[in-house]
Structures are given as C-alpha cells and as structure tokens.
Amino acid sequence: SQQGEEDPQALSIQEGENATMNCSYKTSINNLQWYRQNSGRGLVHLILIRSNEREKHSGRLRVTLDTSKKSSSLLITASRAADTASYFCATASDTGRRALTFGSGTRLQVQP
Amino acid sequence: EAQVTQNPRYLITVTGKKLTVTCSQNMNHEYMSWYRQDPGLGLRQIYYSMNVEVTDKGDVPEGYKVSRKEKRNFPLILESPSPNQTSLYFCASSLYQGAGTNYGYTFGSGTRLTVV
C-alpha cells in the first residue's frame, strides 16, 4: 500500500534553479526518508528526518517535516543535470511491520 | 565497499520454471527486505526479515518465498513464475528496524525479471 504521495509527479527545471518536491502521508510515522533513483537503478538513501524534527540539511538538500499536516518537502538548491532522477519519499511506521512504505515518486528533469 | 548485491541483473524465463534471485549484504545488517517496482504502482514490499530465521510477509507475498539461513543472504524464490511477476525487483537491507529506530535502507541494483 502506498503511504506517501509525492507532488508534483514530474518537474522540469533549468540547471541552477531550485527544485521542490512535496510528500503527503496518512498515518503516524517514526521517521520519513527521501530516496533518489536513477532510471532503472537501485534507490539511494538521501536523508532521514525523525518525527520530532522539523528541518534537516545535507549539502544542497533541505528537508522539512510537518507532522500536524502529515507532509514533507525536499528542496534541492542550485540543481545540476546530474540531479535528474526520480525522488521518492518513504515513511517508517512507529507501529506494526515497521516497513518503509514508498510514495509514487517525483520525476525531476534538470535541463543543462 | 558496503553494498547489497543482487544477481542476476536481468532474467528472462518461462512460466512455471522455478527461479531464485540472490541477495547478499556485507554490512552485518539485521533487517532485509524484497520489493517489486511496477509502473503506476510504485514500490511494494514482498517479504522482509528482521533477523536470521525470522521472515514475514509484506504487502504482496503471493507467489514468492524467502529464506534467511544466514545474516548476509536473503534469496527470493519464485516456485512457479507467472507473467504477472514480470517486474523490477529490489533487495534492501538496514541495520535494524525495531521500535523507535531510524535507519535508512541500502538497496541493491535491481533484477529485471521477465516471465514469458
């Protein structure tokens, strides 16, 4: 079952611009994670934000989490052509199976 | 290099012919999981394992089997593959997935399976 839903489904920007992707989820979480997937390849873990955190940075990545709205955003600043990929949010439940449940992804295209 | 290794990378097989996709991790991770990825359906968990000899069903376990005899290996077995199992499969591992833990997954490179 899909927990997170990303918005937009696809995003096309120019190199140097910022890219913002949003994720909404439905149930209580322990943490939320963002992953990148280059076409047909494995997913790469980018950043994890705990449920008691509101914002986290890693290099050109900035993630925010609003548990009251059950939403998160991923901002990539000064994008590069190499950032072209699909980006997925994934939520880890604080109960039950504790599996990561993935959203449907945002396809980001960065034009050189 | 810390990694999850899946084999094979590509596989074309015929309906009903048993196959195994291997997965091995070298990070001493306790938690391992299999996902399948299909267009429009995203990633769905097939099976997972919290530790050696501990496995359980995910969201879409029908038609699959797994085993966890050693910590590093978590093979996915399709006893009688059918065309609806054509998909991109990923193995993933994590240090631990117990209550209150916060660890990311390391994914393998994927196995593209076609069942004709």
Side-chain angles (χ1 to χ4, degrees):
Chain A
S1 59
Q2 288 188 0
Q3 157 84 306
E5 294 294 330
E6 283 92 338
D7 171 58
Q9 289 188 329
L11 180 61
S12 182
I13 59 174
Q14 296 294 125
E15 218 168 18
E17 294 180 338
N18 295 342
T20 299
M21 289 159 264
N22 302 297
C23 169
S24 60
Y25 59 92
K26 295 172 186 161
T27 62
S28 179
I29 63 169
N30 186 47
N31 64 72
L32 185 143
Q33 306 178 25
W34 285 90
Y35 288 79
R36 183 186 74 232
Q37 183 182 32
N38 290 92
S39 182
R41 307 293 297 183
L43 283 78
V44 175
H45 181 255
L46 296 176
I47 196 165
L48 181 153
I49 186 165
R50 296 177 174 81
S51 58
N52 61 354
E53 296 176 314
R54 292 297 165 257
E55 187 171 311
K56 202 160 183 179
H57 297 254
S58 176
R60 293 185 296 113
L61 305 180
R62 172 178 169 252
V63 169
T64 61
L65 178 65
D66 187 335
T67 52
S68 67
K69 295 181 179 177
K70 291 186 167 61
S71 67
S72 173
S73 67
L74 171 68
L75 168 68
I76 304 174
T77 59
S79 62
R80 306 165 181 167
D83 294 328
T84 294
S86 291
Y87 292 82
F88 294 87
C89 71
T91 52
S93 171
D94 57 359
T95 60
R97 183 155 45 91
R98 307 186 202 291
L100 271 191
T101 305
F102 287 82
S104 49
T106 292
R107 281 176 26 212
L108 173 65
Q109 177 79 39
V110 182
Q111 309 281 357
Chain B
E1 181 189 351
Q3 60 186 354
V4 175
T5 303
Q6 284 179 239
N7 280 297
R9 185 84 174 85
Y10 299 93
L11 179 59
I12 301 174
T13 191
V14 296
T15 299
K17 186 177 181 182
K18 180 179 178 179
L19 67 92
T20 299
V21 183
T22 63
C23 174
S24 180
Q25 50 94 4
N26 62 0
M27 296 165 283
N28 203 35
H29 283 175
E30 290 190 0
Y31 185 92
M32 298 186 75
S33 181
W34 277 101
Y35 284 82
R36 61 179 287 176
Q37 185 177 29
D38 301 288
L41 297 175
L43 283 111
R44 294 177 292 168
Q45 191 183 51
I46 303 169
Y47 267 95
Y48 68 99
S49 170
M50 298 287 278
N51 213 324
V52 176
E53 302 291 2
V54 181
T55 63
D56 209 344
K57 297 176 181 177
D59 294 316
V60 288
E62 294 77 22
Y64 304 94
K65 281 176 57 176
V66 293
S67 68
R68 188 95 181 271
K69 295 185 172 62
E70 309 160 280
K71 200 170 190 177
R72 63 185 294 126
N73 296 323
F74 190 45
L76 178 70
I77 303 155
L78 284 73
E79 295 267 0
S80 183
S82 62
N84 65 11
Q85 292 178 297
T86 292
S87 187
L88 180 56
Y89 291 86
F90 290 104
C91 180
S93 73
S94 176
L95 184 61
Y96 181 60
Q97 284 293 131
T101 60
N102 295 279
Y103 296 107
Y105 283 17
T106 301
F107 278 82
S109 298
T111 296
R112 189 169 291 280
L113 172 66
T114 302
V115 184
V116 297

